Amino acid sequence: MTRHFRLEFQFPVPGAVRVAGGWQLSWTGTAVMGIVNVTPDSFSDGGRHLGLDAALASARAMRDAGVLMIDVGGESTRPGAEVVPVAQELDRILPLIRVLSAESVVISVDTMKPEVAAEALRAGAHLINDVTGLHDPEMVLVCARAGAPACVMHMQGEPRTMQLRPQYGDVVAEVHAFLTERAAEVLAAGVPSVLIDPGIGFGKTLTHNLALLRALPQFTAGPLPVLVGASRKRLIDFIAEVPTAAERDPGTLALHLHAARSGAALVRAHAAAAHVQALRVQAALDDQP
Ligand code: HH2
């Protein structure tokens, strides 16, 4: 079954069409959100994109490969990562956002800070990806005022400590309830559109991650588009013994193809071009005449 997805914005967005009350970006089948981390310490691509030229080259290659959007991050959320001051995070991401926005790329910004989100949206970003589920009420206001969609992700704890002792009664039920309730609150506060994300690897053991991935059809059966981000994550090492994060793309693809078959709207990936290719092949197989 081919699925159709859409996000609503209250400002023009590359590729979006004018509809009553705003602009709508729509797509068919699972799309790719390419990751460009402009950080020294991200767990798999840390340090690769510190110069603007390197970051731009990666982002342009992803755009040319056919990603729906680029997710720009200026602060690592890996387990144990330290917090980056607002000014430093902005110094890292704003130059890239300005150039990509001038080149008509749809830009998501991976940040937990409302001040960073507000500046990024002013500089031309289109969507806020907040791994805390917009925990700070100011983040909700920033997105609502700008008319920008948000990705609401589930995380147990906070990045510094989240992998120490994750615990759930029923991980699928708890994550599903959190995402449903939080998304409803965020939408009620005036954010035009919301993606939901079970937060693979964020305060979860291998057993929790696998349970959530197997239960994806429950999440995608609802009205909200689902984003899955398993790219190069530690669970692939636990399953297939791949200690080096940059070598986990084959395992990532296996997980993301499963997410696509389960109805995910977007997969967040470092190896973006490989994902676009694999998803097109899978979509052709699934396309019943
Ligand atoms: N994972 C990471 C960062 N942001 N956002 C969403 N919505 N979903 C995710 O699963 C997700 C995310 C962690 O990956 P990465 O960006 O590669 O590393 P780091 O946080 O170390 O920069």
Side-chain angles (χ1 to χ4, degrees):
M1 181 184 67
T2 309
R3 299 185 195 228
H4 304 281
F5 304 102
R6 60 172 188 268
L7 286 171
E8 318 276 344
F9 302 75
Q10 277 152 20
F11 51 84
V13 173
V17 296
R18 190 86 171 92
V19 292
W23 282 261
Q24 192 176 86
L25 183 66
S26 54
W27 68 99
T28 298
T30 309
V32 178
M33 170 190 265
I35 306 171
V36 178
N37 284 316
V38 203
T39 57
D41 58 341
S42 285
F43 76 94
S44 101
D45 61 350
R48 267 199 62 205
H49 303 124
L50 274 182
L52 179 59
D53 288 346
L56 269 175
S58 282
R60 286 175 178 144
M62 290 180 185
R63 173 201 59 198
D64 295 346
V67 302
L68 181 70
M69 63 180 82
I70 305 275
D71 192 39
V72 176
E75 176 178 51
S76 173
T77 55
R78 82 189 144 74
E82 289 303 327
V83 173
V84 175
V86 168
Q88 193 177 4
E89 195 175 334
L90 284 171
D91 282 349
R92 289 177 180 173
I93 63 171
L94 287 184
L96 180 60
I97 291 172
R98 290 199 181 103
V99 179
L100 292 180
S101 149
E103 293 183 7
S104 297
V105 175
V106 181
I107 306 159
S108 145
V109 175
D110 190 347
T111 185
M112 299 180 257
K113 303 193 191 75
E115 302 90 328
V116 172
E119 283 300 318
L121 290 166
R122 258 195 289 277
H126 305 99
L127 183 148
I128 298 303
N129 172 26
D130 178 357
V131 297
T132 71
L134 288 78
H135 182 68
D136 186 333
E138 187 60 27
M139 189 62 115
V140 180
L141 293 178
V142 165
C143 294
R145 271 191 222 115
C151 178
V152 171
M153 200 197 78
H154 175 274
M155 166 163 58
Q156 187 176 85
E158 39 124 0
R160 232 166 18 86
T161 53
M162 64 190 178
Q163 286 307 104
L164 294 182
R165 226 176 194 288
Q167 271 176 338
Y168 299 84
D170 178 338
V171 67
V172 172
E174 286 169 39
V175 171
H176 190 271
F178 168 82
L179 291 176
T180 309
E181 283 160 30
R182 192 66 192 130
E185 288 165 3
V186 168
L187 288 166
V191 175
S193 239
V194 161
L195 285 157
I196 54 169
D197 179 344
I200 299 303
F202 284 86
K204 282 137 194 140
T205 63
L206 173 62
T207 308
H208 298 141
N209 287 317
L210 286 174
L212 286 165
L213 287 162
R214 291 189 184 114
L216 278 175
Q218 283 182 47
F219 292 78
T220 61
L224 297 169
V226 173
L227 167 67
V228 175
S231 196
R232 299 183 180 172
K233 287 187 178 169
R234 196 72 195 283
L235 79 156
I236 298 165
D237 180 25
F238 292 142
I239 297 167
E241 295 181 25
V242 194
T244 306
E247 293 172 5
R248 295 178 192 151
D249 289 329
T252 303
L253 268 173
L255 295 173
H256 283 170
L257 289 176
H258 161 78
R261 280 247 160 88
S262 305
L266 272 167
V267 288
R268 183 179 177 277
H270 298 90
H275 274 73
V276 172
Q277 184 184 122
L279 286 164
R280 282 184 185 154
V281 171
Q282 180 169 273
L285 287 168
D286 289 349
D287 204 5
Q288 300 279 344

